[in-house]
Amino acid sequence: MNKREFLKNAAALSSLAIIPAESWAFSADKRLRTAHIGLGGMGQADLASISSHSNVDVVALCDVDSTVLTQVSSKFPNAKTYKDYRVMLKELSKDIDAVIVSTPDHTHAPASMMAMEMNKPVYCQKPLTHYVKEARAMDKIAKDKKLVTQMGIQVHSFYDYKLATLLIQSGIVGKVHTVRAWSPKNWGYNGPVPDTGDAVPANLDWNLWQGTSAERPYKDGFYHPGNWRKLVDYGCATLGDMGVHIFDTPYNALQLDVPRTIINNCRKPNGFGYPEKNMVTYEFPGTKYTADTLKWVWYDGVGADKQREDLMLPDGADLHDQGAMFIGEKGRLYLPHFQVMPKLIVDGSYKDIDISQFKLSEPVREYSSEVHKHYHEFVDACLGKATCSAPFSYASRLTETILLGVIAGRFPNKTLHWDAKKAQFAEEEANQYLGGTYRKF
């Protein structure tokens, strides 16, 4: 089933609930009724933060794993429970005000797009989609229907990252010509495809877990729970996990669009698992905060390259395991990931930063409070009291950038040229990976 057929079916399911999208800006005393799709580790974190808002009522919970669903629903006894999000959205179309999507990556777009076709505001976990074409489609639906949307990139609302954005845009290091970013996480897999299947556990609906992806036999402990990020059919590798978080602040601060060229130095593709170690180099057109061209280099996996001269810290200190370095004409701004203040480096030494010019609220050092801000921003936007800082108009471009690097991993050491207006590569063989075929399930 292709995307057009999927959307047609989704629209048919929602035919009883079509109302003007503008009506989703509620009065201040209105309560927001939320439905949650996906209740694994991240799904439970999303649920906890959304439900911590005093104006939220959790009315529906959905997960393909009955054990997880039972465990989570015990904390929300008034919420209806489902294993199939399509059934939930159809049956509760009039009782749901907003939808939270916290599934594995391959189900982000199918679930979100169905909800948006029903005029529901959506909070979707990162990366926004599994495919580039899905990211553009979700952006279009959100714009056409004027829906409140937010991507689940919680650090976007953290004090340290907001400060780094303001510092870069103030010109503290001058025009930025290079960004380097890194993570030691390894969401890659170099092993073989399982040649045998196992009995599906009674608590898991394996067909629904696979969703629109290609059908495969179940293998105990191999896909669910928690290992799907490393596999081509379901996840988006380390770039799609930590890359989204670490890219976010430089991408936002420098006001970047999508890149012109991408090259990934990695092992040859095996068609099943992502490479275990990547060095992805992007070239972006310049902005008012950058040189004429911006070079961006991403490193991931065990032993990610952190020994370059422009990554060296004063006094021989070690870099944090994850982070980013802005390299400009007047110095460098070092932004560890996460909850560490950005540091200014000039001529090999740290320099004090005067932040008195910036109107920022005091940092909240309690982690849960920092996290809640991003979720509460979405709730308040649905209630007409705020604006989302990571709407799909922004999230789709960031996700597209990430996914272009993932696609480049299928063509090791080859420069791919991206035409943003046409939404295609100059290298025709790469265009087949911009979208996929949806399985009917």
Side-chain angles (χ1 to χ4, degrees):
M1 181 167 57
N2 62 33
K3 184 177 70 182
R4 182 174 297 177
E5 291 171 330
F6 184 88
L7 291 178
K8 181 179 179 181
N9 290 344
L13 287 176
S14 63
S15 61
L16 298 178
I18 300 300
I19 61 177
E22 291 83 351
S23 67
W24 292 108
F26 302 136
S27 60
D29 59 348
K30 177 76 174 181
R31 299 191 64 76
L32 191 75
R33 301 168 299 175
T34 61
H36 298 255
I37 304 172
L39 301 171
M42 198 64 235
Q44 291 179 42
D46 290 347
L47 173 61
S49 287
I50 290 286
S51 64
S52 70
H53 194 290
S54 60
N55 288 85
V56 164
D57 293 321
V58 176
V59 299
L61 301 169
C62 180
D63 199 276
V64 298
D65 189 321
S66 62
T67 299
V68 171
L69 187 60
T70 297
Q71 173 192 348
V72 175
S73 65
S74 66
K75 302 175 184 177
F76 299 89
N78 295 324
K80 294 185 178 180
T81 58
Y82 295 84
K83 67 176 182 179
D84 189 331
Y85 68 82
R86 300 166 301 178
V87 176
M88 179 186 72
L89 292 176
K90 179 183 178 181
E91 292 186 358
L92 300 182
S93 60
K94 295 180 180 180
D95 303 313
I96 296 170
D97 299 322
V99 177
I100 318 302
V101 178
S102 312
T103 65
D105 298 349
H106 68 287
T107 302
H108 284 184
S112 296
M113 290 171 73
M114 182 175 177
M116 288 192 291
E117 285 289 342
M118 300 171 71
N119 291 323
K120 308 298 183 185
V122 171
Y123 183 106
C124 181
Q125 259 306 323
K126 56 80 190 166
L128 188 61
T129 62
H130 192 218
Y131 295 114
V132 170
K133 287 184 177 180
E134 292 174 330
R136 293 209 170 198
M138 285 176 64
D139 178 35
K140 185 177 187 304
I141 292 174
K143 286 178 179 175
D144 289 348
K145 291 180 171 289
K146 301 179 182 178
L147 293 170
V148 172
T149 57
Q150 182 95 308
M151 182 169 73
I153 183 166
Q154 296 83 345
V155 297
H156 190 86
S157 297
F158 278 30
Y159 176 91
D160 308 326
Y161 297 87
K162 288 182 176 180
L163 175 59
T165 296
L166 293 174
L167 290 171
I168 288 297
Q169 292 183 352
S170 75
I172 195 169
V173 297
K175 299 284 188 179
V176 176
H177 58 78
T178 305
V179 171
R180 297 191 187 275
W182 62 92
S183 171
K185 278 198 174 183
N186 175 27
W187 285 120
Y189 176 72
N190 291 339
V193 180
D195 57 3
T196 59
D198 294 321
V200 179
N203 59 295
L204 178 65
D205 191 314
W206 178 235
N207 176 59
L208 292 179
W209 188 94
Q210 293 178 96
T212 57
S213 69
E215 186 172 5
R216 292 186 182 275
Y218 174 79
K219 187 68 176 176
D220 187 43
F222 200 82
Y223 305 101
H224 170 80
N227 286 314
W228 49 267
R229 288 190 189 278
K230 63 182 68 173
L231 304 176
V232 171
D233 284 353
Y234 313 114
C236 298
T238 307
L239 261 174
D241 180 23
M242 296 312 304
V244 182
H245 286 306
I246 298 170
F247 271 52
D248 175 45
T249 299
Y251 190 86
N252 185 41
L254 298 172
Q255 294 189 355
L256 299 176
D257 200 347
V258 293
R260 289 189 295 220
T261 66
I262 315 98
I263 182 170
N264 189 340
N265 293 305
C266 60
R267 61 119 166 105
K268 293 181 179 179
N270 61 25
F272 180 68
Y274 289 111
E276 291 192 340
K277 189 174 181 179
N278 301 266
M279 185 178 80
V280 185
T281 302
Y282 298 89
E283 180 187 283
F284 289 89
T287 72
K288 65 180 179 180
Y289 300 114
T290 74
D292 292 341
T293 296
L294 178 80
K295 179 182 179 181
W296 186 313
V297 188
W298 164 260
Y299 311 89
D300 68 40
V302 177
D305 185 1
K306 296 185 293 186
Q307 299 304 311
R308 294 181 175 272
E309 183 177 353
D310 53 15
L311 289 178
M312 295 299 181
L313 298 181
D315 303 320
D318 292 332
L319 284 170
H320 287 74
D321 284 346
Q322 304 182 98
M325 185 79 77
F326 299 81
I327 305 159
E329 58 191 353
K330 298 193 297 185
R332 295 178 288 158
L333 189 71
Y334 173 42
L335 181 63
H337 181 77
F338 63 92
Q339 286 197 306
V340 179
M341 292 286 282
K343 302 177 185 297
L344 176 62
I345 304 171
V346 179
D347 296 329
S349 300
Y350 288 123
K351 301 295 181 183
D352 291 337
I353 300 175
D354 179 11
I355 64 172
S356 61
Q357 61 183 303
F358 305 117
K359 295 181 179 179
L360 277 175
S361 58
E362 287 298 311
V364 178
R365 279 304 172 218
E366 183 183 350
Y367 174 69
S368 62
S369 297
E370 282 276 86
V371 170
H372 287 344
K373 287 193 298 185
H374 196 67
Y375 295 92
H376 289 191
E377 183 178 80
F378 170 74
V379 174
D380 288 337
C382 289
L383 298 174
K385 299 188 292 183
T387 301
C388 287
S389 59
F392 291 177
S393 57
Y394 169 78
S396 62
R397 291 185 292 111
L398 175 58
T399 297
E400 180 173 315
T401 296
I402 292 290
L403 295 181
L404 294 177
V406 175
I407 292 173
R410 295 179 180 266
F411 304 92
N413 309 313
K414 179 176 181 177
T415 300
L416 299 181
H417 299 79
W418 180 242
D419 187 324
K421 290 184 178 179
K422 294 181 179 179
Q424 64 183 32
F425 290 105
E427 297 73 24
E428 183 60 34
E429 65 271 25
N431 290 325
Q432 63 183 302
Y433 301 113
L434 296 173
T437 300
Y438 283 173
R439 177 179 71 99
K440 188 174 183 179
F441 67 104

